[in-house]
């Protein structure tokens, strides 16, 4: 399989080679095109402008992974974006010249009635859907090919800037691996790497670090022959904690690695990048909460508003005014916080990952600089959607 990180292109650091990498760019001048889009939208002066927003279309899921990092809910309890919410999101994205969005959940394909219109609406505004994540629920024999046809009709393959990526997640999911293999096989036999990229996100339980990818390869080869290692991108990580279900509340995993080591190993999430990632990024939860980081375990200190009431332009301006974000962006990642928080704290405090270290650092940064503690973003009821008018349509970009 193609290892994540094999191809990475950073703005200003060498030429972009089209059609290489998990998030492959279609054009060598992709960063120039994006810069012009932001300029046309009047965002020239902002340091932090997301190239992609991870969009949670639904919190519903047909599965119940014990360690689900997405915080998915059962079908009966989850909520899906309404038509008005989807329209508001597309308008807000368009108004700031957003180049791309990644659609996730929950499980997007249990909300297919919302998914296809959203893809079509984004495509109609020139906003690429650069990634679509799924557990493979639509890989049943009679559903697989029909769903690919619907994706084509909605415009999923019509991106202008990035080759669309279909991300198949396996791990604690109970979806038959035969279904996942069927989706993979259809993707690699019906589309070239210039039309569609595919990836397997093999997420392991933190307890035993066991990955299902090896079992998936066996299932695929039994049904279709040699596994297409040269077409499938690999992401192998561990599950995060689930914030939504009472039985999946955060467990105590303090870790044994110091905050300082996490800081020093952190990549620059504010440097415009394609190939391994599309950065800078952001996260938009189904209820409208917006965060300046796409991690599903994102600290509340990186939440800057609710898109349904504040508007995305206002949220972006607020994020850019954050001294914490400014320090990280200027320093090339969390390492930029050295000297702004006590070294004694970073060398003596331990935690279990980058997100946990960011949360600890942001709290300490606020304390040192006399700032109030971070508070959770408010959840806005769906009936308050139109509390603010939609943004005016921007000029062409």
């Amino acid at each position: 399989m193609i290892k994540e990180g094999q191809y990475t292109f950073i703005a200003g650091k060498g030429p972009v080679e089209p059609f290489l990498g998990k998030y492959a760019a279609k054009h060598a001048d992709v960063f120039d095109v994006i810069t012009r889009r932001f300029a046309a939208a009047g965002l020239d002066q902002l340091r932090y402008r997301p190239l992609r927003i991870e969009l949670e279309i639904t919190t519903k899921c047909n599965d119940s992974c014990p360690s689900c990092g997405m915080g998915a809910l059962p079908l009966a309890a989850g909520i899906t974006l309404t038509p008005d919410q989807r329209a508001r999101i597309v308008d807000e994205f368009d108004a700031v010249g957003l180049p791309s969005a990644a659609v996730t959940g929950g499980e997007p394909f249990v909300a297919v009635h919302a998914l296809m219109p959203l893809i079509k609406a984004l495509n109609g505004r020139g906003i690429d859907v650069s990634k679509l994540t799924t557990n493979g629920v639509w890989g049943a024999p009679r559903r697989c090919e029909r769903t690919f046809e619907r994706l084509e009709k909605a415009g999923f393959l019509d991106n202008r800037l990035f080759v669309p990526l279909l991300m198949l997640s396996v791990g604690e999911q109970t979806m038959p691996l035969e279904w996942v293999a069927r989706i993979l096989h259809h993707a690699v036999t019906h589309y070239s790497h210039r039309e569609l990229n595919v990836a397997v996100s093999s997420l392991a339980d933190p307890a035993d670090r066991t990955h299902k990818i090896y079992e998936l390869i066996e299932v695929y080869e039994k049904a279709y022959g040699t596994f297409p290692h040269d077409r499938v991108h690999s992401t192998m990580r561990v599950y995060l904690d689930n914030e939504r279900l009472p039985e999946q509340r955060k467990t105590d995993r303090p870790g044994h690695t110091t905050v300082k080591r996490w800081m020093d190993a952190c990549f620059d999430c504010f440097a415009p990048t394609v190939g391994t990632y599309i950065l800078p990024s952001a996260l938009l939860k189904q209820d409208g909460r917006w965060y300046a980081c796409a991690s599903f375990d994102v600290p509340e200190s990186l939440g800057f508003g609710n898109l349904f009431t504040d508007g995305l332009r206002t949220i972006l301006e607020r994020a850019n005014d954050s001294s914490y974000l400014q320090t990280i962006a200027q320093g090339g990642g969390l390492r930029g916080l050295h000297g702004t928080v006590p070294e004694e704290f970073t060398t003596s405090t331990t935690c279990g990952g980058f997100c946990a270290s960011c949360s600890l650092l942001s709290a300490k940064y606020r304390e040192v600089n006399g700032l109030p503690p971070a508070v959770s973003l408010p959840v806005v009821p769906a009936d308050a959607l139109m509390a603010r008018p939609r943004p005016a349509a921007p000029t062409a970009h």
Side-chain angles (χ1 to χ4, degrees), residues 342-363:
E343 185 177 1
E344 180 184 356
F345 170 80
T346 63
T347 56
S348 62
T349 306
T350 61
C351 60
F354 291 108
C355 298
S357 68
C358 184
S359 181
L360 291 167
L361 285 165
S362 62

Side-chain angles (χ1 to χ4, degrees), residues 52 73 99 144 159 180 248 251 254 256 284 326 330 332 395 397:
R52 184 175 77 184
L73 294 169
C144 180
N159 283 358
V180 178
Q248 296 177 357
T251 55
H256 303 291
L284 178 63
Q326 290 174 9
Q330 293 168 3
T395 57
H397 38 253

Side-chain angles (χ1 to χ4, degrees), residues 246-375:
E247 64 271 23
Q248 296 177 357
R249 286 177 181 156
K250 289 183 180 296
T251 55
D252 181 19
R253 296 190 192 123
H256 303 291
T257 303
T258 65
V259 168
K260 183 180 186 301
R261 287 193 63 186
W262 289 116
M263 293 170 68
D264 292 340
C266 180
F267 59 86
D268 185 357
C269 59
F270 292 104
T273 304
V274 298
T276 306
Y277 308 98
I278 296 179
L279 296 174
S281 61
L283 173 65
L284 178 63
K285 304 291 270 185
Q286 174 275 327
D287 53 29
R289 289 174 294 154
W290 188 96
Y291 298 86
C293 178
S295 167
F296 282 86
D297 204 25
V298 60
E300 284 297 328
S301 59
L302 296 185
F304 290 96
N306 191 300
L307 180 142
F308 295 144
T309 56
D310 298 325
L312 186 50
R313 188 178 298 270
T314 297
I315 292 173
L316 286 176
E317 291 172 350
R318 193 178 295 158
N320 276 271
D321 286 338
S322 165
S323 61
Y324 180 70
L325 254 63
Q326 290 174 9
T327 303
I328 296 174
Q330 293 168 3
L334 292 178
R335 64 179 66 88
L337 294 167
H338 284 302
T340 68
V341 294
E343 185 177 1
E344 180 184 356
F345 170 80
T346 63
T347 56
S348 62
T349 306
T350 61
C351 60
F354 291 108
C355 298
S357 68
C358 184
S359 181
L360 291 167
L361 285 165
S362 62
K364 179 58 68 172
Y365 181 90
R366 286 171 176 269
E367 177 188 326
V368 170
N369 288 277
L371 301 173
V375 295

Side-chain angles (χ1 to χ4, degrees), residues 91 94-95 313 389-395:
D91 283 345
D94 188 30
R313 188 178 298 270
R390 291 179 183 170
T395 57

Side-chain angles (χ1 to χ4, degrees), residues 28-56:
D29 64 345
V30 62
F31 290 121
D32 295 331
V33 174
I34 291 172
T35 298
R36 291 196 294 269
R37 290 173 68 107
F38 285 138
L43 270 61
D44 310 57
Q45 305 304 314
L46 298 187
R47 168 64 175 79
Y48 165 59
R49 303 171 301 194
L51 274 63
R52 184 175 77 184
I53 293 180
E54 301 275 343
L55 169 57
E56 184 183 57

